[in-house]
Amino acid sequence: MTVKLIVIDLDETLLRKDKSYDVERFNHALQTLKDRDVLVCIATGNSYHKIIDYFSQEDQKDLYFACDNGNFIVKNDEELSTTTVDRETLYNIAAFVDEFEGFHIMVNTGNQAYFRETEGEAFDHISQYNNALAYIEKFEDLPEGENPTKLAIYSTHSLDRNKTMTRILRERYEDIDSVTSGDGWLDVYSKDGGKGSAVRKLQAKYNIKKEDTMAFGDSLNDESMMVESHYNIAMGNADHDLLLSTTYQIGTNEDSSVINLLEELLSNDSMEFMNNHLIHKKR
């Protein structure tokens, strides 16, 4: 086995729809990977304060977390890297998005999230993803020292409409990137950030090659890390557009397919078994 770094998306990838996963099987695989000096990183749109809902304090010691879509990297409760959005850019994007119905903006700052609503369907949905959510009247009131790692925009529109909005935002603001995420989300963050950036930072820190990197994901916010990973694996439930950036595909999140493949990886001496998961594209 030549894999040295494994990067795993959370929602709709490791987690089932009900936000559960097979903890015992995952922990066994994690311990074995640790014993073999393989780094494991959870790359998620979730903020760090939400991680406690999914991983115990003991597990957190063995995992890297690239939260806020890779823009807030933490290991063992220590902040390793933060990539932020310029405040003026944040204000301009918020003013533009506010012109359209059905888009609700939340601003993440690593350990805190800010939202301009205190009730309603959008507030209820966003509250599910945040353990540190504070009300703010306008984003210009963000406390000094609180720097935005991303804008998470909850949308009531279709995936196609959300993709259109991300394209418009990318064209309108040259310093940011914007992608669709799971459960009706759009994410906006610095062009220097994203999950791919987090993967590159870990690769550089530990002298790990792209050829020795494996990544799992389901949404377009995972695309940038797929480009940085030789073993780039889309879920069976993945956005069809993500398949354009992946070489492999496994089963769905509901079938614990990430854990299944980790166990398959650990039971093989070579990577030839990955040929069974190749995506066969028509010529």
Side-chain angles (χ1 to χ4, degrees):
M1 184 178 77
T2 60
V3 173
K4 295 298 181 183
L5 172 62
I6 297 175
V7 191
I8 307 171
D9 174 52
L10 203 53
D11 292 302
E12 306 299 320
T13 297
L14 178 62
L15 300 183
R16 304 182 184 101
K17 191 173 184 64
D18 65 1
K19 307 302 181 185
S20 69
Y21 67 102
D22 193 322
V23 176
E24 184 175 350
R25 287 177 61 202
F26 179 78
N27 285 354
H28 183 267
L30 179 63
Q31 183 59 53
T32 307
L33 290 165
K34 179 186 175 183
D35 292 343
R36 298 186 186 184
D37 296 322
V38 179
L39 304 182
V40 180
C41 174
I42 302 297
T44 174
N46 285 272
S47 291
Y48 185 60
H49 49 76
K50 184 65 176 175
I51 293 301
I52 193 171
D53 287 355
Y54 307 119
F55 302 98
S56 69
Q57 288 290 333
E58 193 63 32
D59 294 337
Q60 290 180 44
K61 294 178 182 178
D62 296 328
L63 290 165
Y64 286 82
F65 294 100
C67 301
D68 291 343
N69 266 342
N71 299 300
F72 189 70
I73 305 175
V74 180
K75 174 68 162 63
N76 201 16
D77 215 25
E78 178 185 353
E79 180 182 335
L80 303 180
S81 175
T82 303
T83 306
T84 60
V85 177
D86 177 77
R87 283 198 176 215
E88 284 300 321
T89 301
L90 160 63
Y91 305 151
N92 291 335
I93 292 174
F96 174 72
V97 172
D98 283 347
E99 295 177 12
F100 303 88
E101 293 289 338
F103 295 101
H104 305 264
I105 304 172
M106 176 177 65
V107 171
N108 297 96
T109 61
N111 285 308
Q112 183 68 56
Y114 295 90
F115 196 49
R116 297 173 298 177
E117 304 171 39
T118 57
E119 59 183 14
E121 187 267 339
F123 174 79
D124 292 341
H125 188 84
I126 281 177
S127 297
Q128 298 176 46
Y129 292 88
N130 291 277
N131 292 335
L133 184 63
Y135 170 75
I136 193 167
E137 183 177 357
K138 56 184 187 296
F139 294 129
E140 286 81 356
D141 294 335
L142 280 173
E144 195 68 30
E146 287 283 278
N147 297 309
T149 51
K150 76 164 186 173
L151 288 72
I153 306 172
Y154 171 60
S155 169
T156 59
H157 299 290
S158 68
L159 178 60
D160 286 342
R161 176 79 182 276
N162 293 342
K163 287 181 179 179
T164 299
M165 178 59 85
T166 62
R167 176 180 57 78
I168 292 171
L169 291 172
R170 287 195 301 270
E171 292 174 352
R172 192 177 181 93
Y173 304 97
E174 62 180 15
D175 294 334
I176 62 94
D177 198 1
S178 182
V179 294
T180 53
S181 188
D183 291 341
W185 292 90
L186 297 74
D187 289 330
V188 180
Y189 46 82
S190 169
K191 206 158 194 170
D192 295 327
K195 294 184 180 183
S197 172
V199 171
R200 290 193 299 273
K201 288 175 181 177
L202 289 176
Q203 289 170 333
K205 182 178 177 65
Y206 293 102
N207 195 27
I208 296 173
K209 299 177 181 178
K210 174 180 177 178
E211 289 74 20
D212 298 330
T213 304
M214 175 178 282
F216 299 84
D218 73 290
S219 298
L220 288 180
N221 67 331
D222 300 314
E223 184 176 24
S224 64
M225 72 177 184
M226 296 300 180
V227 176
E228 304 299 334
S229 308
H230 178 76
Y231 299 104
N232 43 64
I233 304 166
M235 303 302 294
N237 50 288
D239 186 317
H240 181 74
D241 287 343
L242 184 67
L243 302 183
L244 299 175
S245 302
T246 56
T247 308
Y248 305 93
Q249 188 172 29
I250 55 176
T252 72
N253 59 318
E254 295 298 325
D255 297 324
S256 299
S257 297
V258 169
I259 299 174
N260 293 341
L261 192 128
L262 292 179
E263 292 174 343
E264 196 173 1
L265 173 69
L266 290 168
S267 65
N268 281 274
D269 294 328
S270 77
M271 299 302 294
E272 290 186 10
F273 77 95
M274 288 297 296
N275 292 331
N276 298 325
H277 303 290
L278 281 169
I279 296 174
H280 299 288
K281 300 180 175 68
K282 294 182 179 180
R283 298 291 182 180

